């Protein structure tokens, strides 16, 4: 994975019911989440999210009672590649953020930490360990137009200017021309390695807390909405058309995790 600082390299669903999450997201997105725990020693319940093309879209982490007692809640979390996890975590705290999970090594995976930026939005920092047989491996969990991958990373925050200042310094992101949303302020696009990967904007008053939202691409928003309702989820926003002709929806899965989808509005 070289020096790909600033790339979103993994997405993870934390949920109290991995089996229920599998049933829901397999139907809604088209994934095939592992039916069994992939951790041999059983120290955690972790399942890979398998795409139809044979790749991965991320992972599912089961929330234990101990994790729940320490404040863990259902949700989607992104991992961003940094060259030095410890230094990046310190940069977040120096800016007024907090460390939610201190830097730690995961054998064969890499070094990681969970932080919250000064406005409270959580995010993982990671220096990945590439496979021994493929030292130049690159993550492909993000792709703008490929199905079953994340296509957009969006931060709604109480202080867009401060967030932009922190993340551009931390991850080296560039800032394409923003979109003016009138009274709602600027929708500031963010780019990595020449590709626009998401945006940062001011949190609506109706949104309880600052947070990152990850939009997974589906072939049909119409079909996905049907599966969301059938599977016990709820659409909270949309469908709305976005520039380029795609439509988006935001929702809550049956286990309480907010999620978002992007795709064509078609049967």
């Amino acid at each position: 994975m070289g020096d790909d600082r600033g790339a979103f390299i993994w997405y993870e669903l934390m949920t109290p019911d991995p089996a229920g999450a599998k049933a829901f997201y397999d139907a809604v997105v088209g994934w095939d989440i592992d039916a069994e725990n992939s951790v041999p020693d059983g120290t955690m319940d972790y399942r890979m999210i398998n795409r139809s093309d044979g790749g991965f879209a991320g992972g599912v982490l089961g929330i234990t009672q101990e994790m729940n007692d320490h404040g863990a809640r259902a949700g989607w979390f992104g991992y961003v590649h940094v060259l030095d996890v410890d230094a990046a975590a310190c940069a977040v705290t120096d800016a007024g953020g907090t460390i939610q999970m201190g830097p730690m090594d995961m054998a064969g995976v890499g070094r990681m930490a969970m932080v919250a930026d000064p406005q409270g939005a959580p995010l993982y920092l990671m220096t990945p360990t590439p496979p021994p047989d493929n030292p130049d491996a690159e993550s492909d969990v993000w792709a703008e137009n490929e199905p079953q991958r994340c296509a957009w990373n969006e931060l709604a925050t109480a202080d867009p200017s401060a967030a932009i200042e922190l993340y551009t310094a931390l991850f080296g992101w560039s800032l394409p021309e923003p979109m003016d949303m009138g009274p709602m302020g600027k929708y500031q696009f963010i780019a990595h390695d020449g590709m626009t990967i998401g945006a940062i904007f001011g949190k609506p008053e109706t949104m309880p807390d600052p947070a990152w939202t990850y939009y997974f691409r589906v072939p049909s928003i119409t079909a996905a909405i049907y599966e969301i309702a059938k599977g016990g989820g709820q659409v909270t926003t949309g469908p709305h058309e976005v520039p380029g002709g795609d439509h988006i929806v935001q929702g809550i899965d049956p286990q309480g995790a907010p999620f978002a989808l992007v795709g064509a509005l078609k049967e």
Side-chain angles (χ1 to χ4, degrees):
M1 293 183 178
D3 293 340
D4 200 16
R5 179 173 71 113
F8 277 90
I9 56 173
W10 198 247
Y11 299 96
E12 187 172 274
L13 172 65
M14 292 180 61
T15 178
D17 182 5
K22 170 180 171 58
F24 180 76
Y25 287 104
D26 283 5
V28 171
V29 185
W31 293 326
D32 181 15
I33 298 172
D34 286 349
E36 302 292 337
N37 183 11
S38 64
V39 180
D41 62 8
T43 53
M44 66 176 71
D45 188 338
Y46 203 89
R47 309 180 186 203
M48 305 301 285
I49 303 175
N50 304 289
R51 303 192 312 252
S52 298
D53 64 3
F56 298 119
V60 174
L61 174 63
I63 298 175
T64 64
Q65 185 59 52
E66 181 181 3
M67 293 166 66
N68 183 76
D69 292 344
H70 284 84
R73 295 294 181 266
W76 281 95
F77 300 90
Y79 285 68
V80 180
H81 189 166
V82 296
L83 305 185
D84 186 328
V85 167
D86 300 70
C90 285
V92 172
T93 58
D94 287 347
T98 58
I99 295 178
Q100 307 292 301
M101 183 186 79
M104 60 180 292
D105 292 311
M106 294 286 288
V109 175
R111 188 166 179 80
M112 67 186 71
M114 182 187 232
V115 299
D117 67 22
Q119 291 72 47
L123 191 71
Y124 278 100
L125 308 172
M126 185 175 189
T127 304
T129 300
D133 60 345
N134 189 6
D136 297 320
E138 294 184 0
S139 171
D140 67 351
V141 296
W142 182 89
E144 184 179 16
N145 294 307
E146 296 295 328
Q148 300 182 10
R149 293 170 170 85
C150 182
W152 198 250
N153 308 283
E154 184 181 80
L155 174 64
T157 177
D159 190 343
S161 295
I164 290 167
E165 181 178 358
L166 171 64
Y167 288 116
T168 52
L170 191 63
F171 300 141
W173 290 339
S174 57
L175 302 172
E177 189 69 23
M179 181 173 65
D180 191 343
M181 299 191 296
M184 295 179 63
K186 303 283 190 184
Y187 191 72
Q188 177 58 66
F189 298 111
I190 53 175
H192 169 262
D193 196 25
M195 293 288 294
T196 301
I197 60 172
I200 297 172
F201 71 109
K203 179 183 75 67
E205 291 185 3
T206 54
M207 187 174 181
D209 300 301
W212 284 92
T213 299
Y214 305 103
Y215 291 78
F216 296 98
R217 182 167 290 281
V218 295
S220 169
I221 287 291
T222 305
I225 290 172
Y226 172 79
E227 293 294 347
I228 289 168
K230 182 180 176 183
Q234 178 186 359
V235 172
T236 57
T237 304
H240 295 314
E241 187 173 2
V242 293
D246 279 330
H247 283 71
I248 61 170
V249 295
Q250 297 177 354
I252 305 290
D253 73 19
Q255 292 73 44
F259 69 95
L261 306 173
V262 59
L265 190 66
K266 63 181 181 181
E267 298 298 330

